[in-house]
């Protein structure tokens, strides 16, 4: 097939699409393309996931407005179906790859899923098709991994037998569909013509800027935007640690700093988690590993943000000590286990790290999260007889918590707040011993 034929098919929604990897990124993407009229095949290696999708039942945790409905509708219409079989892919004109791209203990990318998807696809790819990587990858990966693996497994040549691009995803759990429709995207093609065809494709589902670029630029933009955020949060966290030492209040300091022109200091907090921000800076850094490029800000930011759950542990330890209690044997109630507010997504959550460290110190841990099924329940019942309550995630659910009753059910009346969520006045009025990350003892 000529590239102009592919372009026509895409323009008129006659191209058959496949989405490989039906997780947080792949499933909404498959649903959206199916909703606007494309025939979409989803491929995943998880039997349970494929089965649920084919029943119109979303496997994505947490609240995702619209997703369940679109999935049910497109599956029942037959425009979307999921499969475990790559052999179903032979009639696909466009294949979008959305598999996980984690980093390992060594902070280097582990592309096993991506490599495996490319090899399985390469063996069956239809000549003239367009392959788009939506997964987040280190700069240079399209050129040094995706292209050679696909060429070798398919026996075809790039830009002759198949076309290749990178359109990194920007969605966030809780807003998957809204983000997919309304956020600007960079659209990287291995050639200018490929990028232009990709823009045509994404125009069917995105109502925002689609900026055609080369692949390295697309890879850079994606990893840089998340690294930028990580570094900014790390800065706020470091200032929080300073404030605690010198008698300050980071929340007040931030507010007043931001009254100075051009300053946009972010919020400090009990840690950074999720499937992207903790690993994308390492993907970016990995692109220069082995070279003489000295990196300091990116690893330092990662280290500070990874340290914040340990800092929460230290605050809990200090609070208990004032009540003549030890971490060992203490019963600690954790509010929020997801990696951020209003989602049930727990990957790399700071609470996971805190719970692990508390358990290591022989504390007994009770966890509550309104969005994580195994941690649901009555907050006040679960907090009963605990030595300290700890707010890790500012789910709105906790806003109406009756702090006076919380004080009554807690054994030592300690509330440690990693997000400055409840406020000194409210907590003091309830008679709680209130510790806030970033506020020195005795301030406020
Ligand atoms: N989750 C987010 O909020 C988000 C946002 C932007 C970008 N990203 C990036 O998008 C990519 C996917 O992330 P995700 O959160 O959707 O991951 P995920 O773990 O939710 O989904 C990945 C899916 O791919 C499947 N898979 C793995 N190997 C496969 C293979 N060989 N063939 C077919 N399916 C396979 C897995 O079973 C899983 O269902 C990652 O690179 C991530 O960094 C994620």
């Amino acid at each position: 097939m000529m590239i102009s034929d592919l372009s026509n098919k895409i323009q008129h929604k006659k191209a058959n699409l496949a989405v490989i990897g039906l997780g947080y990124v792949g499933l909404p993407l498959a649903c959206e393309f199916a909703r606007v009229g494309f025939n979409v095949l989803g491929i995943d290696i998880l039997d349970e996931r494929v089965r649920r999708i084919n029943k119109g039942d979303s496997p994505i945790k947490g609240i995702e407005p619209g997703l369940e409905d679109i999935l049910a509708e497109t599956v029942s219409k037959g425009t979307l179906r999921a499969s475990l079989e790559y052999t179903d892919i032979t009639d696909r004109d466009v294949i979008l790859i959305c598999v996980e791209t984690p980093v390992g203990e060594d902070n280097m990318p582990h592309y096993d899923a991506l490599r495996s998807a490319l090899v399985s696809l390469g063996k069956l790819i239809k000549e003239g098709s367009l392959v788009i990587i939506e997964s987040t990858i280190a700069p240079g990966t399209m050129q040094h991994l995706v292209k050679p693996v696909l060429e070798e497994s398919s026996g075809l040549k790039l830009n002759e037998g198949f076309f290749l691009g990178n359109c990194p995803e920007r969605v966030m759990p809780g807003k998957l569909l809204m983000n997919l429709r309304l956020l600007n995207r960079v659209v990287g093609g291995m050639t200018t013509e490929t990028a232009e065809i990709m823009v045509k494709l994404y125009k069917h589902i995105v109502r925002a800027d689609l900026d055609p670029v080369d692949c390295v630029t697309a890879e850079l933009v994606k990893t840089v935007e998340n690294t930028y955020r990580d570094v900014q949060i790390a800065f706020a966290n470091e200032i929080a640690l300073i404030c605690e030492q010198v008698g300050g209040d980071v929340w007040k300091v931030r507010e007043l700093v931001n009254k100075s022109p051009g300053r946009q200091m972010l919020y400090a907090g009990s840690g950074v988690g999720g499937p992207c921000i903790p690993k994308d800076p390492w993907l970016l850094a990995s692109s220069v590993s082995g070279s003489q490029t000295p990196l300091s800000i990116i690893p330092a930011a990662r280290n500070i943000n990874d340290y914040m759950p340990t800092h929460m542990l230290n605050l809990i330890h200090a609070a208990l000590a004032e009540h003549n209690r030890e971490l060992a044997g203490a019963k600690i109630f954790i509010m929020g286990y997801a990696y951020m507010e209003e989602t049930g997504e727990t990957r790399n959550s700071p609470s996971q790290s805190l719970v692990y460290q508390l358990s290591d110190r022989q504390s007994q841990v009770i966890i509550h999260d309104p969005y994580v099924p195994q941690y649901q329940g009555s907050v006040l019942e679960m907090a009963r007889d605990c030595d300290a309550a700890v707010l890790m995630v500012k789910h709105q659910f906790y806003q109406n918590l009756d702090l006076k009753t919380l004080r009554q059910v807690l054994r030592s009346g300690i509330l440690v707040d990693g997000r400055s969520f409840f406020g000194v006045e409210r907590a003091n009025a309830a008679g709680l011993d209130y510790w806030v990350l970033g506020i020195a003892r005795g301030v406020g």
Side-chain angles (χ1 to χ4, degrees), residues 327-373:
L327 276 170
K331 202 168 156 189
I332 310 295
F333 179 60
I334 306 284
M335 289 183 276
Y337 195 72
Y339 87 89
M340 62 174 235
E341 57 271 21
E342 319 316 336
T343 175
E345 171 50 301
T346 60
R347 278 185 281 183
N348 305 314
S349 93
S351 298
Q352 257 169 18
S353 166
L354 176 62
V355 167
Y356 180 79
Q357 295 183 57
L358 281 167
S359 306
D360 213 37
R361 303 287 290 267
Q362 274 83 52
S363 299
Q364 188 190 339
V365 185
I366 314 278
I367 306 167
H368 178 272
D369 193 302
Y371 294 105
V372 183

Side-chain angles (χ1 to χ4, degrees), residues 102-121:
V103 295
E105 294 276 301
D106 54 357
N107 296 325
M108 293 299 283
H110 281 212
Y111 288 135
D112 305 1
L114 179 61
R115 212 182 279 274
S116 157
L118 288 167
V119 169
S120 306
L121 168 66

Side-chain angles (χ1 to χ4, degrees), residues 21 23-25 44 49 86 100-101 116 136 169 171 279 347:
Y24 281 82
V25 165
D44 206 290
R49 184 159 292 199
Y86 270 84
E100 66 269 24
T101 48
S116 157
T136 307
E169 190 55 75
V171 294
K279 64 123 173 138
R347 278 185 281 183

Side-chain angles (χ1 to χ4, degrees), residues 111-284:
Y111 288 135
D112 305 1
L114 179 61
R115 212 182 279 274
S116 157
L118 288 167
V119 169
S120 306
L121 168 66
K123 290 180 192 153
L124 297 158
I125 194 170
K126 175 177 163 185
E127 206 166 335
S129 54
L130 166 63
V131 179
I132 299 172
I133 309 299
E134 282 227 1
S135 302
T136 307
I137 47 178
T141 307
M142 290 298 291
Q143 186 62 35
H144 302 302
L145 186 142
V146 178
K147 170 181 178 278
V149 171
L150 213 42
E151 283 190 333
E152 193 183 325
S153 53
S154 67
L156 299 171
K157 279 243 146 285
L158 174 65
N159 300 327
E160 291 170 19
F162 66 93
F163 308 97
L164 198 51
N166 171 224
C167 187
E169 190 55 75
R170 281 179 166 150
V171 294
M172 272 184 28
K175 301 176 186 159
L176 293 173
L177 282 176
M178 193 175 76
N179 288 166
L180 185 52
R181 291 170 188 161
L182 300 179
L183 293 185
N184 303 327
R185 301 278 290 264
V186 282
V187 183
M190 287 301 241
T191 66
T192 309
E193 204 176 7
T194 303
E196 278 161 10
I197 290 177
M198 288 167 65
V199 167
K200 255 187 200 169
L201 174 72
Y202 282 96
K203 263 197 179 146
H204 288 294
I205 58 166
V206 176
R207 299 196 295 276
D209 291 352
L210 292 164
D211 295 307
V213 291
D214 59 79
C215 284
V216 174
T217 303
E219 294 166 322
L220 276 165
V221 170
K222 174 64 198 180
T223 47
V224 170
E225 69 198 25
N226 281 349
T227 304
Y228 174 81
R229 189 153 180 84
D230 199 48
V231 169
Q232 299 290 317
I233 295 171
F235 176 77
N237 283 337
E238 194 155 283
I239 301 305
L241 301 180
I242 293 172
C243 285
E244 283 180 24
Q245 288 300 314
V246 302
D249 171 345
V250 74
W251 311 92
K252 187 76 188 160
V253 168
R254 173 192 170 272
E255 184 190 325
L256 298 179
V257 162
N258 286 350
K259 287 193 167 184
S260 175
R263 273 49 163 200
Q264 290 179 336
M265 186 174 155
L266 297 185
Y267 290 108
S270 51
V272 170
C276 299
I277 307 267
K279 64 123 173 138
D280 292 353
W282 291 127
L283 289 181
L284 179 60

